[in-house]
Amino acid sequence: MVINTNIAALTSANNLNKSSSMLNQSLARLSSGSQLVTAADNPAGLAESISLQAQVSQVGAANNAVSNASSFSQTQDGYLQQVGSALQQMSQLAIEASDGTQSASERADTQQEFAALASFINQAAGQTFNGVSLFSTGSLTVDTNGSGGTGGTFSMTGINLGATVYSSLANTSTNDVSTTTGAATALANVTAAISQLGTDRSTVGANELRLNYTGQELQVLQTNLSAANSTIADVNVASESTSYAKYQILTQSGTAMLAQANQSPGLALKLIGG
């Protein structure tokens, strides 16, 4: 039994410090919802979590890019559908103008309608989506995995609505349905344009289908990456609540035992007094 060095009190104080530290750590995790409150909690896990968070953000950005590209394709197809309707009407007008029973006045009216529809097609060729031409010869590159252009890209084939097969329909010297001869020529040109439109809409459909599959793939990837990061970074509330209760009890009992240990040297006074 000694007075200067109270081993029991030192041991109790050390255990109390450990319990208090773990209690504070558990409290911080429960209040933040994260296992990684400080870098010291899990240095290796923190490095992996940062990497996973970056990948989640990159995949999210790529998913947004794919969604935008899909909207771009849908807008293209919307215009092409209207162009298809115009071409069908133009073919009908050309056939009507070939009817020998029509008067010159009627054919002139038909030609006016035919020219207006051809003008609509030419105007559609100049439409844009967010400042980007909807119908140009160049392809549009879409990042499909958030790699920043270093890989995983998809090139959307361009649709040229300004191609000669479309734009020439507005040329009245070769497409004049005011005469039966001109109507026959115009019908052949419209038929060629309809054939090209089928190819162009098929291309847009293929682009859109590829983008839909890519978007679904990115959503699955983003979910899986988020789940992997959650395993490392997110706190298990049930498990941590149990730990919190444990350290809370240890802290309370440690405080009580430290008080008892601090009273032990007083027993030595009885021996000295005796």
Side-chain angles (χ1 to χ4, degrees):
M1 183 171 289
V2 297
I3 297 176
N4 288 337
T5 305
N6 190 341
I7 300 300
L10 291 175
T11 301
S12 296
N14 186 40
N15 289 333
L16 178 59
N17 286 335
K18 289 181 181 178
S19 297
S20 296
S21 176
M22 296 304 293
L23 178 64
N24 290 334
Q25 183 183 68
S26 184
L27 184 61
R29 287 176 175 175
L30 287 170
S31 62
S32 66
S34 173
Q35 297 187 72
L36 306 175
V37 179
T38 66
D41 290 338
N42 186 355
L46 177 62
E48 186 175 356
S49 176
I50 291 174
S51 177
L52 287 171
Q53 288 176 9
Q55 291 180 59
V56 169
S57 297
Q58 291 166 3
V59 171
N63 198 14
N64 289 336
V66 169
S67 295
N68 291 336
S70 181
S71 296
F72 182 93
S73 293
Q74 291 170 3
T75 304
Q76 279 184 318
D77 193 47
Y79 274 106
L80 291 179
Q81 288 182 43
Q82 298 307 312
V83 169
S85 297
L87 289 174
Q88 290 177 16
Q89 179 66 15
M90 291 168 73
S91 66
Q92 181 179 342
L93 292 172
I95 292 175
E96 290 176 354
S98 300
D99 185 358
T101 63
Q102 280 200 347
S103 66
S105 175
E106 289 174 328
R107 288 197 184 93
D109 293 338
T110 300
Q111 169 58 27
Q112 186 175 2
E113 184 178 351
F114 187 96
L117 292 171
S119 176
F120 162 75
I121 294 175
N122 282 347
Q123 185 179 24
Q127 298 301 316
T128 62
F129 178 91
N130 195 32
V132 179
S133 175
L134 281 167
F135 304 105
S136 76
T137 55
S139 59
L140 187 66
T141 301
V142 183
D143 191 331
T144 57
N145 66 359
S147 61
T150 60
T153 59
F154 169 58
S155 293
M156 295 171 55
T157 304
I159 303 299
N160 185 16
L161 197 53
T164 303
V165 70
Y166 295 119
S167 62
S168 63
L169 295 176
N171 187 344
T172 56
S173 62
T174 55
N175 295 279
D176 184 3
V177 297
S178 62
T179 65
T180 55
T181 302
T185 301
L187 179 60
N189 291 337
V190 170
T191 300
I194 291 174
S195 177
Q196 181 60 46
L197 180 69
T199 300
D200 289 340
R201 286 201 64 187
S202 176
T203 299
V204 171
N207 289 340
E208 191 172 346
L209 183 63
R210 166 63 190 276
L211 291 169
N212 288 341
Y213 278 115
T214 300
Q216 294 170 11
E217 179 186 28
L218 289 173
Q219 288 175 0
V220 172
L221 177 58
Q222 188 174 23
T223 298
N224 291 337
L225 288 172
S226 297
N229 182 58
S230 176
T231 301
I232 298 171
D234 293 341
V235 68
N236 185 322
V237 176
S239 175
E240 197 61 46
S241 295
T242 302
S243 297
Y244 175 76
K246 169 187 173 181
Y247 294 125
Q248 191 174 39
I249 293 171
L250 284 173
T251 300
Q252 293 171 357
S253 63
T255 301
M257 291 307 99
L258 178 59
Q260 291 294 324
N262 285 332
Q263 294 176 9
S264 295
L267 297 176
L269 294 177
K270 294 183 179 180
L271 296 175
I272 294 173

